[in-house]
Amino acid sequence: MKSDFIIQCIDNITNCIVESESEIESLDRVIGDGDHYINIKRGALAVQSIKGDLNHLTNAEAFKKIGMTIMSSVGGASGPLFASFFLALSKEVSDNDDLHKFSLGFSRGVESIMQRGKSKLGDKTMLDVLIPVSEKLQSLVKDGCEKNIMIKEIDLTAQAGVIATKDLIPAKGRSAGLAERAVGHIDPGAKTCQIIISTICNQLNKG
Ligand code: ADP
Ligand code: MG
C-alpha cells in the first residue's frame, strides 16, 4: 500500500459518505438518534484534513494517525469503535503490500471493535458487515485468490452483510431498546461500513 493510495481512499470515501447523506441519516433516524451521518462526516473531514501529513509516514504510522484523529474528533458510539479498528490495524500492517499481514490486521481491528463494544455477529451493528468481510478476506488471501475475484467477493460480502442486518433484532447500541420494532430496518453503522468497503473495492478495480 502506498500513501497516495490511502490518500485517494480518504477522498473517495469522504465523497461517497457525503453523497449518501440522506440514506445514512434516515437509517439512524429510524432506529437510532439521527446523528450517525454527522459523526461519520466529521470523522471523514478530520481525516481528510490530516492527509497531507500521511505522505511521509509508514502504513502503520498512517493508520495510527488516522485512528487517533477519529478518536479525538468523532463522538457517539461509532467514533471510538472506528478509532479502535485503525489503532489495532496499525499494529499489524507492513509497508510491503503483504496481504496476509493486512488481513490479519483487519481481523485484529474487528476484534478490537468487538472487545470495545462488547458485541458480536448478529447484534445488528457494523460488525454484521465487518466480521463476514474479515473472514472472507482471510480465506481468500489464504487461498491465493486472484485480485479481481477477491475485490468482487469482498464487495458482495459487504453488501450481503448490510442487507442481513434488516432481519436482525438489535442487541447493542441505541437501537437495542427497540427490540423487535427494529426488525425490517438496516443498521446505519453497517451501511456506513459497506459504503466504505465498496468504495475501496471500486478504487482497487480502477487501479
Ligand atoms: P450513537 O449510537 O452513539 O448515536 P452513531 O449513531 O454514530 O452513535 O453510531 C451508531 C452505530 O454504531 C450503530 O448503527 C452500530 O452499527 C454501531 N454500534 C453501536 N453500538 C455498538 C456496539 N456496541 N458494537 C458495535 N457497533 C456498535
Ligand atoms: Mg446515532
Side-chain angles (χ1 to χ4, degrees), residues 122-141:
D123 283 350
K124 198 178 179 100
T125 70
M126 56 174 77
L127 288 169
D128 293 304
V129 167
L130 295 174
I131 292 173
V133 164
S134 176
E135 288 172 354
K136 178 62 82 176
L137 179 63
Q138 280 180 80
S139 83
L140 293 170
V141 170

Side-chain angles (χ1 to χ4, degrees), residues 7 17 20 30 41-42 64 69 89 97 102 133 135 146 154 159 164 174 176 182 186-187 200:
I7 289 167
I17 284 171
S20 309
V30 176
K41 186 181 169 193
R42 185 178 297 134
K64 185 171 178 195
T69 302
L89 171 66
D97 283 348
F102 182 81
V133 164
E135 288 172 354
E146 199 251 314
I154 294 293
Q159 288 180 41
R174 288 183 195 276
I186 282 172
D187 175 69
I200 297 170

Side-chain angles (χ1 to χ4, degrees), residues 28 32-37 39 76-78 174 188:
D28 197 41
D33 57 355
D35 65 349
H36 186 58
Y37 172 72
N39 290 337
S78 60
R174 288 183 195 276

Side-chain angles (χ1 to χ4, degrees), residues 45-151:
L45 292 178
V47 172
Q48 221 177 17
S49 76
I50 53 121
K51 68 181 184 184
D53 303 343
L54 305 180
N55 270 324
H56 307 294
L57 302 181
T58 63
N59 286 337
E61 289 165 344
F63 285 128
K64 185 171 178 195
K65 194 166 177 76
I66 290 170
M68 303 290 278
T69 302
I70 295 172
M71 187 70 89
S72 61
S73 61
V74 188
S78 60
L81 296 175
F82 280 119
S84 71
F85 173 88
F86 284 105
L87 295 176
L89 171 66
S90 76
K91 294 190 181 133
E92 298 293 340
V93 291
S94 66
D95 268 351
N96 57 356
D97 283 348
D98 183 337
L99 259 183
H100 284 277
K101 280 200 146 191
F102 182 81
S103 69
L104 179 67
F106 195 97
S107 75
R108 292 279 186 269
V110 173
E111 282 162 18
S112 168
I113 294 178
M114 294 172 80
Q115 273 165 19
R116 194 163 189 134
K118 297 182 178 54
S119 39
K120 58 180 189 320
L121 185 70
D123 283 350
K124 198 178 179 100
T125 70
M126 56 174 77
L127 288 169
D128 293 304
V129 167
L130 295 174
I131 292 173
V133 164
S134 176
E135 288 172 354
K136 178 62 82 176
L137 179 63
Q138 280 180 80
S139 83
L140 293 170
V141 170
K142 190 162 152 269
D143 294 346
C145 181
E146 199 251 314
K147 182 187 160 196
N148 289 345
I149 297 172
M150 191 180 295
I151 294 167

